[in-house]
Amino acid sequence: MNSFLQNYRGRGWVKGNITISDSDLTFYVGTRPWNQILGAELRVLFFLAYSYATLFLANDLDEECAFPGFLMLDNPYQQGIDAGVIKSVLQDLGEAAQATGTQVITTQALSESVTTKNVRHIEMPQVYEAN
């Protein structure tokens, strides 16, 4: 997660490194639990870093553990983070999916093109408004 977030220092991520307590598996940002220190946009970047890290679990776990082979993101562009940062995140996730043999699907209203060769854009014939 920290190596992923390093790419976003000054582009959205302004907090410290993430650690995990070995006693209760709480995620900390700096010295405080993540849910006490992160605002809305930073929580989204935290979640995206967590999602990125889960794609690599197969590399770290033995064959007896189940690991995710699929990640679905629901319109990350609507979360208030700069569209350029989200586009970069999606490129990183696309490259991670290729490296790990996993699949990433994202729904989005914007027609932002990601320039990774393993990303396929499927145009929706109709966009529906949420009520």
Side-chain angles (χ1 to χ4, degrees), residues 88-106:
S88 181
V89 165
L90 293 176
Q91 287 180 279
D92 290 346
L93 287 170
E95 291 169 9
Q98 185 174 16
T100 60
T102 57
Q103 183 178 25
V104 176
I105 293 177
T106 177

Side-chain angles (χ1 to χ4, degrees), residues 33-112:
W34 72 274
N35 59 338
Q36 293 178 7
I37 195 167
L38 299 180
E41 291 179 15
L42 291 178
R43 284 182 185 214
V44 173
L45 277 174
F46 176 88
F47 170 73
L48 292 168
Y50 177 85
S51 299
Y52 179 86
T54 62
L55 295 178
F56 289 96
L57 282 177
N59 296 347
D60 298 329
L61 301 175
D62 61 31
E63 293 178 7
E64 295 180 16
C65 288
F67 55 88
F70 173 77
L71 170 64
M72 185 162 189
L73 301 171
D74 185 18
N75 198 3
Y77 284 97
Q78 72 182 1
Q79 306 304 324
I81 298 174
D82 179 72
V85 170
I86 295 300
K87 185 175 180 178
S88 181
V89 165
L90 293 176
Q91 287 180 279
D92 290 346
L93 287 170
E95 291 169 9
Q98 185 174 16
T100 60
T102 57
Q103 183 178 25
V104 176
I105 293 177
T106 177
T107 63
Q108 57 199 48
L110 292 179
S111 183
E112 290 286 327

